[in-house]
Amino acid sequence: MDEWKMWEHDGVRLSARERLALARIEAGLRQDRRFARRMGDVRYGVWLPVAVLLLAVASVFVAVMGIRTSDPALLWCFALLWPVTLLQAFRLLCRATRPRPRRPHRRPKPTPPTPWV
């Protein structure tokens, strides 16, 4: 296959070399989290809600067991675990209330130029 064989991408014809350069640029931009956040293209994972849920369950369990057994080690575990749970819950609340940037309307694809006859 010829290296200069053209390929249509978003209405623009790119060579194989140009496609490779574009793929490298896009891969570099995807790795920059601050840039993605500024562009409004942040994909929120499920790890923070799962972490908050697990920390809350662990905190309640340790608190109940510490109260029932009066074991100082369990009460200290609760004293250390509860602030971490509150901090993560606060982060989750802040993320949920942050205004999301509006996505711009997609522009219509350009029509290919008409050949001159």
Side-chain angles (χ1 to χ4, degrees), residues 15-85:
S15 69
R17 183 177 296 157
E18 290 169 332
R19 282 185 282 142
L20 180 61
L22 182 62
R24 287 180 181 161
I25 292 170
E26 288 174 349
L29 289 176
R30 266 188 243 111
Q31 291 176 351
D32 189 0
R33 291 182 184 175
R34 280 190 304 177
F35 177 73
R37 192 175 19 238
R38 269 189 262 143
M39 296 303 291
D41 188 32
V42 177
R43 290 174 176 80
Y44 294 114
V46 296
W47 292 114
L48 185 59
V50 169
V52 170
L53 180 66
L54 291 176
L55 283 169
V57 168
S59 295
V60 169
F61 176 76
V62 170
V64 169
M65 292 308 293
I67 291 170
R68 289 188 75 195
T69 62
S70 298
D71 185 11
L74 287 174
L75 294 174
W76 276 106
C77 284
F78 173 74
L80 295 173
L81 191 60
W82 185 241
V84 175
T85 305

Side-chain angles (χ1 to χ4, degrees), residues 86-106:
L86 290 178
L87 175 69
Q88 296 299 328
F90 180 72
R91 285 183 60 209
L92 183 62
L93 180 66
C94 288
R95 187 169 84 177
T97 59
R98 183 181 312 143
R100 302 276 168 97
R102 301 177 102 195
R103 295 218 179 247
H105 294 293
R106 291 190 60 122

